[in-house]
Amino acid sequence: MILPCYRIADSAIPGAGKGLFVDEFVAAGRIVTAPDQIDRTHRWAEVTASPELSADLHAAARWFEDRYTVSPEWPDECYVNHSFEPTGLWHLGFIFAAKDLPQGTEITVDYRHLLAPGQEESFHDAATGEKITGLSWQESFAQSTRALALLLD
């Protein structure tokens, strides 16, 4: 579920296609998206072993520890693009505004938090050209927890 008013439009990120943009000011630390209608999570081994689940690997996202959702029918949240300098902070399935976001800001997150440890995205970061490789659960959780604590302090 996307909480602020938003729109889907062409992304400013080269090669990204569409993006999700806020249509109102969003203060730093405010929740931008929250989990909605997630009825099942899977262990990574289940995802990769199942032909049905692995066919939708592009729609897999880590929520916590070794638990992933595979949701190819995601609504507009699927338009949140990757950035190593994101406007949103992914933390346990929520996206928080990483800073004050003026109206018209594109919402991005660091995909390394959504990927399995060591999993490489099929594209590179548009700004740096670097590979996007999944972080370990511990590293992801520690980074996002520290960042969220600073936002809410």
Side-chain angles (χ1 to χ4, degrees):
M1 132 183 35
I2 303 168
L3 300 176
C5 294
Y6 72 95
R7 64 187 162 80
I8 305 302
D10 291 335
S11 176
I13 301 168
K18 300 286 186 188
L20 189 147
F21 296 81
V22 292
D23 270 348
E24 63 182 80
F25 171 81
V26 180
R30 181 173 168 206
I31 294 173
V32 177
T33 71
D36 188 21
Q37 299 181 2
I38 302 300
D39 64 347
R40 176 122 196 248
T41 62
H42 308 273
R43 296 200 179 282
W44 186 247
E46 289 177 66
V47 173
T48 57
S50 163
E52 180 181 315
L53 292 174
S54 62
D56 290 322
L57 196 59
H58 66 281
R62 178 175 54 198
W63 289 83
F64 60 93
E65 295 179 348
D66 185 36
R67 304 303 295 194
Y68 298 78
T69 57
V70 180
S71 304
E73 69 286 342
W74 277 16
D76 290 347
E77 286 91 333
C78 71
Y79 294 106
V80 173
N81 288 311
H82 163 79
S83 175
F84 283 144
E85 295 185 23
T87 59
L89 169 65
W90 176 272
H91 183 76
L92 294 175
F94 290 83
I95 297 175
F96 294 84
K99 56 187 175 186
D100 285 344
L101 305 176
Q103 179 180 356
T105 301
E106 182 173 0
I107 301 301
T108 57
V109 296
D110 185 340
Y111 280 12
R112 295 177 297 176
H113 295 281
L114 285 74
L115 299 172
Q119 179 188 5
E120 289 186 7
E121 190 55 85
S122 61
F123 55 88
H124 292 107
D125 179 76
T128 66
E130 293 179 39
K131 290 181 183 177
I132 304 164
T133 306
L135 301 171
S136 71
W137 161 249
Q138 295 83 352
E139 187 177 3
S140 172
F141 190 59
Q143 282 184 17
S144 67
T145 300
R146 282 191 297 270
L148 184 58
L150 290 172
L151 272 176
L152 301 177
D153 193 19

